[in-house]
Amino acid sequence: MSFLDGKEIYPILLVSAEIFGLLSVILVGLLFDKHVFIGTYDWKSNPFSYHPLMMTLGLVFCYGNAILIYRTFRTLPKLIVKIGHAVFLIVSLICGLVGFFAILRSKNVGKRPHFMTYHSWLGLTTLILFALQWLCGFICFLVPQLSLDIRRLYMPSHRLCGKIIFVSAVIAILTGLSEHGMGSSFFTDNDAQRKRRLIMNFFGVFTSLFCVTVIYLLSKPEYQRPPDTHVEE
């Protein structure tokens, strides 16, 4: 087995993923910082400012960590890891809902139509699928009356849907910010928006790296939590 296939590389890749993810959150947060942009964070006058930050924090960073946690802490008791997984998902859902209501309020304030673009369709679909995945996972894995056979039968679909939702969230966020950048004249020869253009481009780079690293870690069977007496997560 090569070095890159060994379990010893997992902590290095995990730390790299966390750095990429944190940089993404920091950069998207700077887009509406008062030192960078005049339209800073204000729920009343500029609710859109919370939309990319909450979606990135919830549906990318926290959700990415939620689907990695069983591999990151594969030697800890299953119950503790399951609670950590649930906490990450709750935070992801809350952030996603705040981001969703932020864009709804922004459209209402600006008297603009809702759900007119591919980004909005994909984003809404992703949020709905995430909520359904959260609900199904809660019922299947946290309701003690449910049989072990049903949990084992549902697990492959749960894992696959988790990956699809995560990648969809990343695509939705990247397309959304690109769409916002085009509408805000970020990508022109005028350097008035140079800071925000650079922030947005580097955000795209680090978000993509975070996504690729997370999916890679999920694709390697040697990083998977060993099976125990309960259903394997």
Side-chain angles (χ1 to χ4, degrees):
M1 181 179 293
S2 68
F3 174 75
L4 288 177
D5 290 330
K7 292 182 180 179
E8 64 273 11
I9 199 67
Y10 184 90
I12 298 174
L13 293 175
L14 177 66
V15 170
S16 299
E18 297 298 335
I19 291 173
F20 297 147
L22 286 172
L23 286 173
S24 296
V25 173
I26 292 170
L27 287 170
V28 77
L30 287 174
L31 272 178
F32 293 95
D33 182 75
K34 62 182 180 180
H35 300 293
V36 176
F37 184 60
I38 190 171
T40 189
Y41 292 96
D42 189 322
W43 184 260
K44 290 184 178 180
S45 63
N46 187 24
F48 176 81
S49 58
Y50 291 92
H51 177 63
L53 176 60
M54 289 296 102
M55 291 304 190
T56 302
L57 180 60
L59 296 185
V60 176
F61 184 70
C62 288
Y63 190 42
N65 277 281
I67 58 181
L68 279 179
I69 194 169
Y70 282 96
R71 293 171 182 243
T72 301
F73 301 105
R74 55 183 174 266
T75 60
L76 287 182
K78 185 75 169 286
L79 180 60
I80 295 177
V81 182
K82 186 178 289 189
I83 292 172
H85 181 70
V87 169
F88 267 121
L89 291 178
I90 290 171
V91 174
S92 299
L93 182 61
I94 292 172
C95 290
L97 289 175
V98 172
F100 178 68
F101 286 115
I103 192 60
L104 287 182
R105 176 174 171 79
S106 175
K107 293 291 183 72
N108 290 336
V109 169
K111 297 183 176 9
R112 301 190 307 274
H114 297 280
F115 308 116
M116 300 292 289
T117 65
Y118 168 77
H119 159 71
S120 63
W121 290 5
L122 180 61
L124 179 61
T125 302
T126 302
L127 189 60
I128 292 172
L129 290 176
F130 175 82
L132 290 174
Q133 169 90 337
W134 190 93
L135 181 62
C136 291
F138 179 84
I139 293 173
C140 189
F141 301 115
L142 293 180
V143 174
Q145 290 82 4
L146 214 60
S147 73
L148 195 61
D149 290 337
I150 293 177
R151 297 181 184 185
R152 284 178 175 151
L153 185 64
Y154 173 64
M155 178 57 72
S157 299
H158 184 71
R159 287 175 174 162
L160 177 61
C161 289
K163 295 175 187 177
I164 292 173
I165 293 168
F166 175 68
V167 173
S168 296
V170 171
I171 295 172
I173 288 169
L174 293 179
T175 55
L177 276 181
S178 295
E179 184 181 289
H180 176 66
M182 294 298 293
S184 303
S185 302
F186 283 6
F187 308 116
T188 64
D189 293 333
N190 188 342
D191 275 351
Q193 296 278 13
R194 182 173 181 272
K195 284 184 180 180
R196 300 190 80 207
R197 181 170 65 247
L198 289 175
I199 289 172
M200 180 178 290
N201 287 342
F202 278 112
F203 166 79
V205 170
F206 288 121
T207 302
S208 300
L209 288 172
F210 178 72
C211 177
V212 169
T213 308
V214 169
I215 294 300
Y216 175 80
L217 292 175
L218 291 173
S219 70
K220 304 297 286 184
E222 59 264 37
Y223 301 149
Q224 190 170 320
R225 181 182 175 88
D228 50 30
T229 55
H230 303 288
V231 62
E232 184 185 349
E233 176 65 53

